[in-house]
Amino acid sequence: MRQFAVIGLGRFGFKIAEVLSAKGAQVLAIDKDLGLVDKARDIVTEAVQLECTDEEALRESGIENVDVAVVSIGEDVESSILTTTLLKNLGIKEIVARAGTRLHAQILKEVGASRVVFPEEDMGLRVANSIFAPGVLDYVDLGADYNLAEIEAKGDFIGKSIRELHLKSKYS
């Protein structure tokens, strides 16, 4: 079973920790705010209060044992970059980091993030696409001119398999 660490327990980080835990994953949740740590304690494997830019504190938390670390620090760009660097130095192979700007993302990649996410931008794209096309329930841009959309089934589509709908002959 893969083990995860989530560093930064604001709304974004807390939701990641909550979903991973609900899926049965082992999750180490870390934040400097004791209130947020206490809130996470009931849903994750372990919740720890520490300053994430303190290499020794990170090491003592057992973070070196995780497969994936998520740096979900929002506003504190310096802490985000330093934490990502420390995780890379500690040998964490997969680091997913949250960025607020393109420059922040570039720096995160350069210091060791395997993947950089833009939660606000991604959600804005999804909401805009769902209100532009009301039948679209969810939308994900896969890049390279590919998109994935979940659409509401209506009329003749209800209760039929994709094969039964003969989509290839109707829409090619």
Side-chain angles (χ1 to χ4, degrees):
M1 175 184 301
R2 292 176 63 179
Q3 297 180 19
F4 300 87
V6 178
I7 302 170
L9 298 174
R11 286 184 302 201
F12 178 69
F14 189 88
K15 183 52 79 176
I16 290 172
E18 184 177 48
V19 170
L20 290 171
S21 292
K23 292 182 178 288
Q26 292 185 353
V27 178
L28 168 63
I30 297 172
D31 201 288
K32 64 183 177 184
D33 182 324
L34 182 58
L36 294 174
V37 171
D38 285 342
K39 183 178 169 189
R41 215 175 289 284
D42 293 335
I43 64 163
V44 298
T45 311
E46 186 175 359
V48 179
Q49 178 194 19
L50 62 83
E51 175 51 59
C52 60
T53 59
D54 180 341
E55 185 173 2
E56 189 56 36
L58 276 176
R59 187 176 275 115
E60 288 174 11
S61 75
I63 202 162
E64 292 171 292
N65 299 319
V66 304
D67 300 298
V68 181
V70 179
V71 180
S72 61
I73 300 167
E75 301 298 317
D76 189 346
V77 173
E78 182 180 355
S79 288
S80 165
I81 293 166
L82 292 174
T83 301
T84 302
T85 304
L86 289 173
L87 292 171
K88 187 68 174 177
N89 291 347
L90 290 170
I92 307 299
K93 302 247 184 295
E94 191 173 345
I95 303 167
V96 178
R98 173 186 185 172
T101 67
R102 295 289 166 197
L103 180 58
H104 185 195
Q106 179 184 347
I107 295 167
L108 287 168
K109 290 291 264 181
E110 288 177 12
V111 299
S114 343
R115 180 174 170 202
V116 177
V117 296
F118 296 88
E120 291 83 2
E121 188 175 301
D122 293 344
M123 187 50 69
L125 175 66
R126 292 171 88 174
V127 169
N129 281 300
S130 72
I131 61 177
F132 180 74
V136 175
L137 303 175
D138 200 1
Y139 177 90
V140 179
D141 182 1
L142 301 174
D145 295 327
Y146 292 99
N147 303 302
L148 178 64
E150 178 183 0
I151 60 171
E152 184 179 359
K154 292 184 178 181
D156 294 341
F157 282 56
I158 296 175
K160 293 184 182 171
S161 71
I162 292 175
R163 177 172 282 145
E164 292 170 322
L165 293 170
H166 305 287
L167 295 175
K168 199 170 189 178
S169 62
K170 289 181 183 177
Y171 299 103
S172 25

